[in-house]
Amino acid sequence: MQQVEARLRQVSDDLWQQLQRAERAWAALRQGQAMQAIPVGGAGKGTWQVGRPAIQVMETANAVGPVDWDVVVAGGTLGLLLAWGLRRRGYRVALLERGPVQGRRQEWNISRVELQVLVDLELLTPAELTQVIVTEYNPVRIALHQVGEWWTRDVLNLGVRPDLLLEICKQKFADNGGYIGEHQAIQAIEIAPDGVKVITAQSHYTGRLLIDMMGHFSPLTQLARRGEKPDGICLVVGGCAQGFPVREYGDLMATTAPIINHCQYFWEAFPAQDGRTTYLFTYVDCHPQRPALTDLFATYFEQLPAYQGVDLEQLTWQRFVFGFFPSYRRSPLGSHWPRILPVGDSSGMQSPLSFGGFGTFLRHLRRLVQGIAEALQWDALDRDSLRLLQPYQPNLSVTWLFQQVMRVPLAADMAPNEVNEVLGTAFGVMAAAGDAVMKPFLQDVIQFSSLSHILLGMMRQNPGLILRVMQRLGIGPLVDWTGHYGMLALYTFLAQHAPTHKAENYWQARRREQYRYGSGLDYRET
């Protein structure tokens, strides 16, 4: 613990205090208690705010009357991109954020094709997009302990600076009539038949629709889930430092050891503008015996020299990040109230394997901008209509089995290298099938044909290992997963046979999108 504290204080004395706040929140979650601190600006940013904000939600029969805004967006990181997209469509949009609207310097890794939507929606010009991309590298590697290595290209191979991206969008949004309310923590929400009233300490805002983009720990999400405990957690620590040996490739997933302390630890590493960024992460449940973030940091510093071939004393640390990312089987979370729509991490729309929602958000951004615009046009702002914007997605639900395979139960008697062997079998099948199977999977897009190919290939290649894993998982999870797999097949069929003529209304358009996105057939390779 002393080594962790000393290294964090090399960057900032405040970082250690922030880690302690995150530790207390993670400990409270493991103990089934209310967290007394929440992350500000994203669960992995490393900034935690003491005190748990509460929002009172009231439904009233009294009319709001003429509203000031068409849309009020709560949450100003990725919420700014959605707000700017809706403003580009001509809607009156207010963006509220409990702190300043700004991004961090730590880069978001993404693929170029995923960024193209920002230009397609005219949120950025091609020149502005080039400006926010500060690193680009190839190839990318998957390396598994005592199993093998696989290489591919153009997956998460760009580094985008969030601070540059948000500053450009913030200025353009404001210059084009968007409103930004910084340091405007929401205290209460009144839902009326004709609108919604959002109350902060400083003011109040009336609109037709409130979009919740306040993140994993949104007070509205907590209310809607009614204290539901997360089904899974991704624990993450990492940092960016100078002094690493020069490597022009990145690691999408790497392991350097077998199971340790009932955890399989995974690494990511990417070239960065300020040096090299490395992350250590693992998948766990919320059991009280799961490791603390400080323990994970200790493992990070212990294993990093062997992983990257460097002496820690040679490194000059630029920043550290840490956090825990909850995921729920019941995701995405649909609208719990009329006129309130959860989006992004608030809805749990990302894969349970992911600890960064940027790629998932961009994948759905075009759909969300179009769908919200049509909801406003058709006045489809009741709870059931809004739920069509965050529908059931079988290609998301099937990924739960993958997290269970990569998560080591506390009571399980597993072979030390079992997780690496299972993943190695899967990646071997994918590599043999080529990029058409490998790349969508690496970008958290699961398709029926590719998934079926992988499963059949794994059974042929190592049937004993797969049967052992199935026995460990148990009949209940397998039956549940089989249902989602069947729905993935159905959604694929419905998406492939959808009518080609334009949808007649909001509801018909959303159903078609549900089948297309829920089957992964929205994936764009180029």
Side-chain angles (χ1 to χ4, degrees):
M1 184 176 294
Q2 290 181 344
Q3 182 197 32
V4 174
E5 179 179 359
R7 295 204 181 277
L8 266 62
R9 290 189 185 277
Q10 289 177 9
V11 175
S12 168
D13 286 339
D14 184 57
L15 263 179
W16 176 250
Q17 301 303 320
Q18 297 287 354
L19 178 59
Q20 296 313 297
R21 292 173 184 172
E23 285 285 35
R24 288 191 290 271
W26 170 223
L29 189 61
R30 299 201 306 275
Q31 298 294 336
Q33 302 170 356
M35 296 190 303
Q36 297 305 312
I38 60 169
V40 178
K45 183 177 180 180
T47 304
W48 286 69
Q49 181 184 75
V50 176
R52 183 176 181 81
I55 296 178
Q56 184 178 8
V57 181
M58 301 163 285
E59 294 192 58
T60 176
N62 299 324
V64 169
V67 297
D68 299 319
W69 308 98
D70 295 307
V71 179
V72 178
V73 179
T77 305
L78 293 179
L80 177 59
L81 300 181
L82 183 56
W84 176 214
L86 292 169
R87 181 64 198 140
R88 284 283 308 160
R89 294 290 188 101
Y91 293 100
R92 300 168 298 161
V93 184
L95 176 70
L96 305 180
E97 169 58 46
R98 64 173 175 255
V101 178
Q102 62 184 28
R104 53 192 169 102
R105 189 177 175 90
Q106 182 83 16
E107 292 158 36
W108 289 336
N109 286 92
I110 194 76
S111 309
R112 186 173 293 278
V113 66
E114 294 172 293
L115 287 174
Q116 183 60 36
V117 67
L118 298 176
V119 176
D120 293 345
L121 294 178
E122 299 182 336
L123 307 186
L124 296 180
T125 66
E128 289 167 339
L129 181 60
T130 299
Q131 181 181 340
V132 304
I133 299 171
V134 295
T135 56
E136 183 170 4
Y137 68 90
N138 264 313
V140 292
R141 181 181 73 148
I142 299 100
L144 299 173
H145 177 67
Q146 296 182 347
V147 176
E149 290 185 351
W150 299 268
W151 298 82
T152 189
R153 300 180 64 83
D154 301 325
V155 177
L156 302 185
N157 66 309
L158 303 182
V160 170
R161 280 263 301 273
D163 55 343
L164 300 180
L165 172 63
L166 295 189
E167 187 57 36
I168 291 173
C169 290
K170 180 180 178 180
Q171 191 64 53
K172 296 178 77 168
F173 176 65
D175 288 347
N176 285 272
Y179 171 82
I180 299 175
E182 298 180 300
H183 305 285
Q184 296 276 323
I186 297 174
Q187 296 182 338
I189 298 167
E190 295 179 6
I191 305 170
D194 60 339
V196 60
K197 184 177 182 180
V198 181
I199 302 168
T200 71
Q202 295 85 353
S203 186
H204 70 267
Y205 304 82
T206 57
R208 297 178 60 198
L209 174 67
L210 171 64
I211 298 177
D212 173 17
M213 295 200 65
M214 293 183 283
H216 291 289
F217 302 103
S218 162
L220 295 180
T221 296
Q222 299 305 307
L223 282 174
R225 291 198 182 275
R226 299 177 181 177
E228 179 184 357
K229 205 169 187 177
D231 296 299
I233 295 286
C234 182
L235 292 177
V236 184
V237 299
C240 180
Q242 298 174 351
F244 285 102
V246 176
R247 291 188 174 93
E248 297 302 324
Y249 66 87
D251 282 343
L252 293 181
M253 176 183 288
T255 60
T256 59
I259 295 168
I260 300 173
N261 297 328
H262 297 285
C263 288
Q264 177 63 65
Y265 294 116
F266 300 93
W267 290 95
E268 281 189 344
F270 305 107
Q273 187 178 34
D274 296 331
R276 189 169 182 84
T277 298
T278 52
Y279 299 104
L280 181 68
F281 63 99
T282 189
Y283 301 104
V284 297
D285 52 27
C286 292
H287 193 280
Q289 294 181 19
R290 290 304 188 179
L293 288 167
T294 305
D295 297 331
L296 192 60
F297 252 131
T299 304
Y300 172 81
F301 290 125
E302 178 185 335
Q303 296 187 8
L304 184 62
Y307 170 49
Q308 289 291 298
V310 67
D311 188 328
L312 289 179
E313 303 310 316
Q314 297 174 348
L315 299 178
T316 302
W317 292 98
Q318 306 299 302
R319 54 190 168 268
F320 291 105
V321 293
F322 48 85
F324 55 94
F325 298 80
S327 52
Y328 300 83
R329 292 180 183 276
R330 188 168 60 93
S331 294
L333 180 67
S335 292
H336 188 70
W337 301 275
R339 298 189 180 273
I340 298 179
L341 174 68
V343 172
D345 292 340
S346 297
S347 70
M349 62 191 287
Q350 79 282 4
S351 164
L353 303 179
S354 173
F355 60 86
F358 185 44
T360 298
F361 177 75
L362 290 186
R363 176 187 164 207
H364 289 271
L365 182 57
R366 189 192 316 269
R367 175 183 72 82
L368 288 167
V369 169
Q370 179 66 29
I372 293 168
E374 291 185 10
L376 293 167
Q377 292 167 14
W378 287 87
D379 199 30
L381 303 176
D382 60 278
R383 186 180 65 171
D384 290 340
S385 294
L386 289 177
R387 281 183 170 177
L388 294 176
L389 288 166
Q390 295 291 18
Y392 165 71
Q393 297 177 41
N395 66 338
L396 176 63
S397 297
V398 294
T399 59
W400 266 103
L401 194 72
F402 306 149
Q403 197 203 75
Q404 286 188 282
V405 168
M406 298 163 75
R407 187 171 72 198
V408 182
L410 289 170
D413 183 19
M414 292 175 58
N417 217 39
E418 181 174 305
V419 175
N420 287 317
E421 290 176 2
V422 173
L423 292 175
T425 304
F427 281 115
V429 172
M430 284 188 274
D435 285 347
V437 172
M438 174 83 83
K439 282 189 173 182
F441 186 89
L442 292 175
Q443 293 173 263
D444 292 328
V445 180
I446 307 301
Q447 299 170 325
F448 178 76
S449 59
S450 297
L451 179 59
S452 300
H453 182 91
I454 294 167
L455 295 175
L456 289 173
M458 292 175 70
M459 285 296 295
R460 292 193 190 104
Q461 192 173 108
N462 201 334
L465 175 64
I466 303 308
L467 289 174
R468 190 164 71 244
V469 171
M470 293 172 66
Q471 289 175 346
R472 172 168 65 83
L473 293 173
I475 189 66
L478 290 174
V479 170
D480 180 70
W481 180 86
T482 301
H484 297 306
Y485 178 70
M487 291 301 292
L488 180 61
L490 176 61
Y491 272 44
T492 301
F493 175 83
L494 293 173
Q496 291 173 336
H497 294 83
T500 56
H501 61 80
K502 185 178 179 180
E504 296 178 2
N505 54 46
Y506 165 86
W507 298 270
Q508 189 179 89
R510 302 292 80 73
R511 288 299 183 192
R512 292 185 189 177
E513 286 177 349
Q514 180 178 356
Y515 302 142
R516 182 163 167 258
Y517 280 80
S519 63
L521 295 183
D522 63 295
Y523 177 76
R524 297 172 62 187
E525 187 173 355
T526 59

